[in-house]
Amino acid sequence: MHHTARWTVRYGEGLRFAGSDLPRPTRLRVPTRHGNVTAWSYEPPAWGDGGPSHVHLHGGAWLMRHPFMDDWWCRYLAATAGVRVLNVDFHTAPYAVFPQAQEEAHDVAAWAAGQGPVSVGGFSSGGGMAAAVCLMARDTGSFPPRLQVLGVPALDLATDVPGGTGQISPSLRALVRRAYFPDAASRRSPYASPLLAEDLTGLPRALVMTAERDTLRRDGDAYARRLREAGVEVWHDVTPRTDHYFLTEDPVRARTTMGRVAVEVAAALSPA
């Protein structure tokens, strides 16, 4: 799965609504506590040094190391929100175990925050990592994320997923646990399972996107509710009649969802 992702992942091609004319992203090597990590930088024409950045974390269940699976999203957001998008090539299983990917993602975001305002987001496992990065930033005081974008996020690795026909199956959850979270106790860490964090106060505004038929919907729905209870501003949107690939499954509705996210990112990262 790790090595074949670039040839087997084909989702999102029908969602290239903007940004196709942007040049190939620039490869940056960003220092982290685990050594240098690649971040692919998508830069709109008006972006300059010291401008705002959105740090994006791809999905793939911590098993697929393939940031370009979300090339369509990074291009869209850079072009529409007018911000630099850093698509992080963090390490995944079997070459890394928790918490390496989360720490690499945090350190890239903290590095970007040294140049300008930062928001953080991701899809699926990347959405869970984005939530973890915001918790890490709050707990350590490393930088102030202005927004968290959580798309169909995996937020509770300590709990079994229900059986059924959903795209995220119990067997996939078991594989993820064995490969990236082999220490059972670590799965209850708030940086592995943000939904289990005792305290969610002091976190940035959140955009939480879930899908009606997605096995992980309960994670996102519960997190949105807990964030509100903690006094955090939340926009929570549920795409009806869709499973985990909620944007691809309803590309007409996806235009509205993606447009809302771009407006929110642009507003959060504006100088005002």
Side-chain angles (χ1 to χ4, degrees):
M1 185 179 292
H2 181 91
H3 293 292
T4 61
R6 69 184 64 186
W7 295 288
T8 58
V9 175
R10 290 289 182 271
Y11 92 105
E13 290 305 308
L15 301 174
R16 292 186 180 274
F17 302 138
S20 295
D21 56 341
L22 292 179
R24 178 176 173 80
T26 303
R27 183 175 185 257
L28 305 178
R29 295 289 286 166
V30 180
T32 78
R33 72 193 79 178
H34 298 285
N36 289 340
V37 169
T38 292
W40 294 98
S41 178
Y42 296 75
E43 299 169 10
W47 191 88
D49 291 340
S53 298
H54 177 78
V55 175
H56 178 73
L57 308 169
H58 68 82
W62 295 282
L63 301 172
M64 294 183 181
R65 186 179 175 185
H66 183 40
F68 286 111
M69 69 169 66
D70 289 344
D71 175 80
W72 56 276
W73 172 251
C74 296
R75 288 179 175 277
Y76 174 85
L77 201 57
T80 308
V83 302
R84 176 176 70 171
V85 176
L86 295 176
N87 190 9
V88 185
D89 186 14
F90 51 86
H91 288 84
T92 60
Y95 305 106
V97 297
F98 175 80
Q100 183 171 338
Q102 283 83 351
E103 291 176 345
E104 289 177 345
H106 167 272
D107 292 355
V108 171
W111 172 85
Q115 305 171 25
V118 165
S119 58
V120 185
F123 295 128
S124 192
S125 55
M129 287 178 60
V133 166
C134 291
L135 285 167
M136 289 180 183
R138 181 203 63 181
D139 293 346
T140 64
S142 54
F143 73 99
R146 294 204 178 176
L147 182 74
Q148 51 184 324
V149 180
L150 314 180
V152 289
L155 296 165
D156 182 1
L157 271 295
T159 303
D160 294 335
V161 298
T165 59
Q167 292 169 336
I168 306 300
S169 65
S171 61
L172 176 57
R173 172 56 57 87
L175 176 60
V176 170
R177 285 171 165 174
R178 290 196 305 271
Y180 187 69
F181 299 93
D183 177 3
S186 73
R187 300 166 194 163
R188 299 196 65 84
S189 162
Y191 305 147
S193 299
L195 183 58
L196 303 184
E198 293 184 5
D199 179 14
L200 298 182
T201 60
L203 293 172
R205 175 172 170 80
L207 312 182
V208 182
M209 294 166 283
T210 56
E212 181 181 1
R213 298 173 180 168
D214 183 17
T215 305
L216 298 183
R217 177 184 175 181
R218 63 181 187 177
D219 287 20
D221 289 357
Y223 202 61
R225 182 173 61 253
R226 286 202 59 210
L227 285 169
R228 286 196 181 106
E229 291 170 352
V232 178
E233 293 184 3
V234 178
W235 175 71
H236 180 205
D237 183 63
V238 183
T239 299
R241 300 178 298 280
T242 58
D243 203 329
H244 197 58
Y245 292 105
F246 70 116
L247 294 174
T248 300
E249 292 174 46
D250 191 345
V252 174
R253 191 180 191 278
R255 282 184 178 269
T256 301
T257 305
M258 293 167 64
R260 174 63 183 264
V261 173
V263 168
E264 291 265 5
V265 168
L269 298 181
S270 66

